[in-house]
Amino acid sequence: MVPQKDQRWIINGYLLVTLAIIIFSTIEVASQHVQKEEKVSAFDLSLLRFGIGGLILAIAAFIRIGKGEMFRIIKTDGWRIALLGLIGTTGLALCYHRSLMLTSSMIGGAIFSINPAIVAMIFLASRLEKPSWSKIVGVILGIACVYVTNKGARSHEPQFPDYFVGNIFMVLAVLAWSFYFFLVRDYIKKYSALVVSSIAVISGSIGLIVTVPLIPLLGWGDTLTFYKVLSPTGWVLVFYLGIITVGLGYYWLYMGLARTGISKGMMIFFIKPAIVALLAHFLQHQPLSPWIWLGIILASTSIIIVGIKDIRSR
């Protein structure tokens, strides 16, 4: 029988991950408003979002961990975590926000939510975790959730003629995010969630500072023009995306995954397409079909199966 204290630890982990995913589910709608209504480059938004969020995480890490300990960690493993940050922040941000310029927020959110399946398959392929019926069923239900949610969102595709290219960019974002989490897992265990996220996001932001000015050379539009076009409402959304979705969201996610285990905790990402769909419906007036409601049911079932089995097994 699992001690009550351990049960609370695991349950709190799932709650933290769930809160992070709810916050993450607002990113597509908020980002698409800034990019389309405020006319801000996807790459400018990437730089602003992760730059602000990384600064918040770094300040919090130095206050909580202490300057001496932070410098010791940076000296020991900082460069390794920083390299992973180029994958999990720079690569993710560029592909993710470029995708949202080309495809709908509902479809983008559905595609990005397949990352738990990718993470689970990476862990199984690396033989770091043994297959279990709960994990397999959870992955199948989660993929089914993404499929039916995406099916319900197809009616939006005529509004986005380049949606196919946008979807490819979102798949690349999924791969960057999934491999980052697989590779960073040991550092999350060795250090705190706050330390890892602050170093990774700051290094990724530096990567964006180097990369974003070069984007016009690819013919993808001008960059570093955000200060000319952002309205007060746009700035509020930018700070929300930086402070809340990166600063607070990443911290809660890492804290939760440290308690649940990465592959199990990531299963909660399957609720993301349903939440994004609801937000897109009420805030962007995108049609909400019965397929979306079916996706919500499948996602909830997936979480219950994986979560309860995990708690009982411990």
Side-chain angles (χ1 to χ4, degrees):
M1 184 175 179
V2 181
Q4 188 175 3
K5 183 178 180 181
D6 290 343
Q7 284 190 351
R8 288 200 300 267
W9 177 265
I10 298 169
I11 292 172
N12 287 340
Y14 279 110
L15 289 175
L16 285 171
V17 175
T18 301
L19 287 172
I21 302 308
I22 291 173
I23 288 175
F24 291 159
S25 298
T26 66
I27 297 173
E28 286 85 3
V29 173
S31 295
Q32 201 159 73
H33 178 88
V34 173
Q35 293 175 192
K36 290 190 170 294
E37 302 300 326
E38 300 285 331
K39 308 300 181 183
V40 174
S41 161
F43 310 106
D44 282 6
L45 182 56
S46 299
L47 179 58
L48 289 170
R49 180 186 166 207
F50 285 95
I52 294 171
L55 182 61
I56 296 298
L57 287 169
I59 293 172
F62 272 94
I63 293 175
R64 181 165 183 175
I65 308 300
K67 183 173 66 174
E69 180 65 10
M70 276 297 295
F71 281 126
R72 185 192 69 80
I73 294 172
I74 292 172
K75 184 178 179 180
T76 304
D77 286 317
W79 69 272
R80 297 180 181 88
I81 299 174
L83 287 177
L84 296 180
L86 295 178
I87 300 174
T89 299
T90 308
L92 165 69
L94 293 176
C95 293
Y96 181 88
H97 286 286
R98 174 61 176 170
S99 172
L100 291 178
M101 290 296 294
L102 304 172
T103 194
S104 75
S105 57
M106 193 177 289
I107 295 174
I111 293 174
F112 192 78
S113 298
I114 68 173
N115 76 79
I118 303 298
V119 170
M121 286 188 286
I122 292 173
F123 270 86
L124 292 175
S126 63
R127 299 182 179 180
L128 291 177
E129 292 188 0
K130 295 180 180 179
S132 65
W133 71 266
S134 63
K135 186 178 297 183
I136 293 172
V137 172
V139 169
I140 292 173
L141 290 176
I143 292 175
C145 165
V146 174
Y147 171 77
V148 299
T149 305
N150 191 59
K151 190 175 180 67
R154 285 182 180 176
S155 60
H156 310 143
E157 291 177 352
Q159 304 174 29
F160 297 88
D162 296 322
Y163 73 89
F164 183 74
V165 176
N167 292 348
I168 291 176
F169 273 106
M170 191 59 78
V171 170
L172 292 175
V174 169
L175 292 175
W177 182 253
S178 300
F179 276 102
Y180 166 74
F181 265 106
F182 173 73
L183 295 171
V184 82
R185 68 191 185 283
D186 290 335
Y187 298 109
I188 293 178
K189 295 177 181 178
K190 185 176 180 180
Y191 305 115
S192 73
L194 185 58
V195 169
V196 173
S197 57
S198 62
I199 296 174
V201 175
I202 283 291
S203 66
S205 300
I206 294 173
L208 288 170
I209 291 174
V210 174
T211 306
V212 167
L214 302 177
I215 293 298
L217 298 179
L218 299 175
W220 290 351
D222 296 330
T223 57
L224 303 179
T225 60
F226 60 88
Y227 61 92
K228 300 178 181 178
V229 296
L230 271 174
S231 67
T233 300
W235 276 111
V236 170
L237 288 174
V238 165
F239 280 109
Y240 168 80
L241 288 167
I243 296 172
I244 305 300
T245 70
V246 176
L248 189 58
Y250 272 47
Y251 179 63
W252 280 351
L253 180 65
Y254 283 130
M255 285 288 290
L257 292 178
R259 302 181 182 192
T260 65
I262 290 179
S263 61
K264 291 184 177 68
M266 290 289 278
M267 290 293 179
I268 299 179
F269 252 94
F270 286 135
I271 69 173
K272 191 175 189 294
I275 298 176
V276 173
L278 291 171
L279 291 174
H281 173 69
F282 288 109
L283 298 180
Q284 296 181 309
H285 308 293
Q286 295 181 7
L288 184 60
S289 73
W291 289 104
I292 305 301
W293 294 111
L294 178 58
I296 295 173
I297 295 172
L298 290 171
S300 301
T301 305
S302 171
I303 295 166
I304 291 171
I305 289 176
V306 174
I308 291 179
K309 179 67 176 178
D310 181 42
I311 292 172
R312 288 177 176 176
S313 67
R314 297 190 189 191

